[in-house]
Amino acid sequence: AAVKDRIASLLKFDEERAVKMLVNSTDKIPVAHVVSQLKSDNKLLHIYLDLLFEKDPRAGSNFHELQVELYAEFDSKKLLPFLRQSNNYRLDTALHLCEKRKLFPEMVFILGRMGNAKQALSMLLEHVNDVGEAINFCQQQGEDELWEDLITSCLAKPKLVAPLLQDIGAHVDPIKVVKRIPYGMKIDGLREKLIKIISDYHLQMSLREGCEHILKSDVVSLGRKLNRAQRRAIRIDGKSRCGLTGAPLVEGENMLLRPYPGVVAFYGGRAYQEEALVGLCLSDAPQTASELGKSKVVSSSGGPSGQSAGKANLGGDAAAAARVIMQRGFSVDGRRFVRTQT
């Protein structure tokens, strides 16, 4: 209790050890209590919250908006990484704070997160003057209009054309850029930059073609794997019963399949006597597959509803099974399903 009430004095006595102790003792000394004790000394508060964030970004999440202000005041280099990692602050508040201190890279990030991509791009080119970062920003946003805005803005400032040609070749068709360069504009090292932009573009196209080839190979391989899995046998044992009639599907000591009717099994685990499903398909003389399942009760012998004891409530499972069979190109021939010839 004595330590809890004298946290500020403790930090002034031995700042490094005291901060580490407080960060490692959040279960005994809550973060909110430390913040209340240090609210009169922003520098110590910043040191504590900074170390706490490094250890566990979620531990002081209630004070992240306060940390934005503290980072801006005491350690602006850490502000942008903090903004990227945390979501526990209001964007408009953080933007206003960065505007007051003219922290343009941080403003660009916040504007991008707020959806003001065009304003963020304009700020990158006008205040930061970093074409490479502007290209990365356009790539992250993935909007074609931003690329057009970037090219237009750079072509309006001759000093930005050279760095634009230096790095944009891997992202935009170089012909579109070269055609828009004003006639007579002087660009230092134009020949080398044109060679690089075309080379970067061809490399990017080659990588895309390679990725497409790998993707197609993976699709074929996985398709074959799926086909093999779907063609595997389905286990039917002594406990298996028809989902329609409740009758056992195998009999005898050797677990032989009943000679008739046959068994229709699905990968979901349901299995049915073929004769029972045929009877369901023919019940009420359905004209289409969508009409199947109108009859909900069938006796254990496959007879119509109303016949004594072994009746089983079909629900929707057997009706759905019959629908699937008919939709997959099968028809009823006598007492069996046969694939319709196409």
Side-chain angles (χ1 to χ4, degrees), residues 284-337:
D284 295 332
Q287 300 299 313
T288 64
S290 62
E291 295 175 2
L292 293 172
K294 291 181 178 179
S295 177
K296 298 299 182 183
V297 179
V298 171
S299 70
S300 59
S301 60
S305 61
Q307 292 182 1
S308 74
K311 297 178 182 178
N313 188 1
L314 301 183
D317 290 341
R323 261 200 309 275
V324 169
I325 292 172
M326 300 295 283
Q327 290 171 351
R328 292 291 175 87
F330 286 83
S331 61
V332 176
D333 182 10
R335 301 174 70 188
R336 300 187 64 83
F337 290 112

Side-chain angles (χ1 to χ4, degrees), residues 246-279:
L249 297 178
V250 295
E251 65 180 6
E253 295 181 356
N254 295 325
M255 308 296 286
L256 297 175
L257 285 174
R258 300 175 70 89
Y260 191 85
V263 174
V264 178
F266 292 82
Y267 283 104
R270 294 282 186 176
Y272 304 91
Q273 290 177 325
E274 186 175 20
E275 182 181 12
L277 283 179
V278 170

Side-chain angles (χ1 to χ4, degrees), residues 151-162 164-165 175-187 190:
I151 295 171
T152 301
S153 299
C154 289
L155 291 178
K157 299 179 180 180
K159 66 178 182 179
L160 299 181
V161 176
L164 176 70
L165 295 176
I175 302 299
K176 294 181 180 180
V177 181
V178 174
K179 282 184 176 181
R180 295 175 59 177
I181 297 177
Y183 181 77
M185 177 180 286
K186 293 183 178 181
I187 303 173
L190 178 60

Side-chain angles (χ1 to χ4, degrees), residues 197-214:
I197 191 175
I198 294 174
S199 175
D200 288 346
Y201 182 75
H202 285 311
L203 176 61
Q204 188 70 14
M205 292 301 101
S206 177
L207 290 173
R208 289 184 181 178
E209 291 175 0
C211 291
E212 289 179 2
H213 178 73
I214 294 173

Side-chain angles (χ1 to χ4, degrees), residues 73-111:
E73 181 178 356
F74 297 107
D75 196 353
S76 59
K77 292 182 180 179
K78 288 187 177 182
L79 178 55
L80 184 55
F82 175 80
L83 294 174
R84 294 182 188 276
Q85 194 171 351
S86 173
N87 293 314
N88 299 295
Y89 58 88
R90 289 179 295 179
L91 295 174
D92 54 346
T93 302
L95 179 62
H96 179 68
L97 177 64
C98 293
E99 286 176 345
K100 287 174 57 178
R101 297 182 177 274
K102 299 186 182 302
L103 301 173
F104 295 111
E106 290 76 9
M107 291 171 62
V108 169
F109 172 77
I110 296 172
L111 287 169

Side-chain angles (χ1 to χ4, degrees), residues 205-266:
M205 292 301 101
S206 177
L207 290 173
R208 289 184 181 178
E209 291 175 0
C211 291
E212 289 179 2
H213 178 73
I214 294 173
L215 180 60
K216 290 178 180 178
S217 299
D218 287 346
V219 169
V220 172
S221 175
L222 292 173
R224 290 173 178 170
K225 184 177 179 180
L226 176 63
N227 180 259
R228 287 195 301 269
Q230 291 179 335
R231 294 174 63 185
R232 292 176 60 185
I234 300 175
R235 179 181 177 84
I236 302 293
D237 56 27
K239 297 180 181 179
S240 301
R241 292 183 174 272
C242 176
L244 188 61
T245 67
L249 297 178
V250 295
E251 65 180 6
E253 295 181 356
N254 295 325
M255 308 296 286
L256 297 175
L257 285 174
R258 300 175 70 89
Y260 191 85
V263 174
V264 178
F266 292 82

